[in-house]
Amino acid sequence: MAETEVWTDLGDQRVVRNVVRPTLEAVLPDPAKATGAAVIVAPGGGFAMLAMDNEGWPVARWLADHGIAAFVLKYRLNQTPPKEADFLVEVGKIFAAAAKGETRPAIREDRATTDMLAALQTVRHNAAGWKIDPNRVGAIGFSAGAMTTMQTVMTAPEKAGPAFFGYIYGPMLPVTVPAKAPPMFAALAIDDGLFGKQGFGIVDAWRKAGRPVELHAYERGDHGFGMGRAGTTTMLMMDEFRLWLDSRGLLAPPR
């Protein structure tokens, strides 16, 4: 039997776990600032939780403040123990294994990809009501959210995946790039405790496939810096993502 969805404070951040019913929360820009672009925001958390306060709502509000319609995706997760103490032990094991480069326990949840595909479809279906250009619907994912976004790019039927995407501190190992893969904005701190020693194979794969890619590798910031860790150049990441979108003509206001 599925556990009940649980919201809790992890340090000074609000997280949710045991998600069994996905939701999509719209955060829309002032119509006077709207660009017509849209981004689905996928927080991370090792598929055991979602870091909504670090990689969800604040990211969406920032995007909306800059004229980009944002949609926070609360996707389905692996089940975790109902007791807080047991949950913390399990999460510790997951991230410790990832930091060692171990593949077990596997950090994945295929239903998250299904939820991302459904979110993209929902936003495009309702694009007119939200004043969005259906051809400019992308995504930005953090950690497990980046993995979810990448898996969507790799498996989506033609024109069903994101038109562009931000890949924020996801795994860096090379992949087989789809022939029509969308433009990718990748960001990682070099001292990332999970993926910082993997090189940049995924970026090289995009480049070798002749697909557009931009990489920002910050000296410090570790894993999970969200919109930026104070005192590091990761604080520039969201502005760089916006400027990248603008440089690709994705933020031109609708006529």
Side-chain angles (χ1 to χ4, degrees):
M1 183 176 179
E3 301 289 351
T4 301
E5 180 174 297
V6 178
W7 288 85
T8 189
D9 293 322
L10 195 63
D12 59 351
Q13 297 179 14
R14 195 77 168 155
V15 303
V16 61
R17 58 190 179 92
N18 291 350
V19 175
V20 294
R21 180 176 296 176
T23 64
L24 191 64
E25 181 179 348
V27 183
L28 302 177
D30 182 328
K33 292 198 275 185
T35 63
V39 172
I40 294 171
V41 180
F47 297 112
M49 61 184 178
L50 294 177
M52 302 296 281
D53 269 355
N54 188 40
E55 301 160 350
W57 298 312
V59 176
R61 288 192 294 265
W62 190 97
L63 291 167
D65 286 344
H66 290 80
I68 302 166
F71 299 84
V72 182
L73 176 61
K74 187 177 70 176
Y75 53 86
R76 285 173 288 182
L77 301 170
N78 295 319
Q79 291 297 303
T80 55
K83 291 184 179 180
E84 196 78 7
D86 295 338
F87 160 70
L88 293 174
V89 169
E90 183 167 311
V91 168
K93 290 179 179 178
I94 290 171
F95 284 98
K100 294 177 182 178
E102 297 174 1
T103 57
R104 291 182 175 81
I107 301 179
R108 64 178 296 156
E109 171 48 90
D110 293 338
R111 295 178 305 168
T113 303
T114 300
D115 296 341
M116 174 62 84
L117 280 166
L120 289 161
Q121 182 181 38
T122 296
V123 173
R124 288 181 173 129
H125 181 74
N126 294 282
W130 283 320
K131 309 297 183 187
I132 290 167
D133 180 350
N135 296 313
R136 289 189 283 153
V137 179
I140 185 169
F142 298 77
S143 194
M147 295 166 69
T148 295
T149 304
M150 179 59 69
Q151 188 64 13
T152 303
V153 167
M154 302 290 285
T155 61
E158 188 173 352
K159 298 184 179 180
F164 58 86
F165 70 110
Y167 186 74
I168 314 304
Y169 43 82
M172 287 286 137
L173 297 175
V175 298
T176 300
V177 180
K180 296 182 179 180
M184 174 171 66
F185 174 97
L188 181 82
I190 295 174
D191 66 348
D192 187 302
L194 297 186
F195 307 127
K197 296 180 180 180
Q198 293 183 342
F200 301 103
I202 201 167
V203 175
D204 290 337
W206 235 257
R207 182 179 57 81
K208 290 174 183 177
R211 303 308 299 154
V213 60
E214 178 156 322
L215 170 67
H216 292 262
Y218 306 105
E219 179 186 0
R220 294 179 295 115
D222 205 344
H223 194 77
F225 59 72
M227 291 176 59
R229 183 152 285 143
T232 75
T233 50
T234 61
M235 295 293 292
L236 301 172
M237 191 270 294
M238 289 301 299
D239 270 319
E240 289 165 344
F241 178 62
R242 179 185 60 81
L243 290 169
W244 175 74
L245 293 177
D246 196 27
S247 73
R248 300 199 59 79
L250 292 165
L251 301 186
R255 295 180 181 180

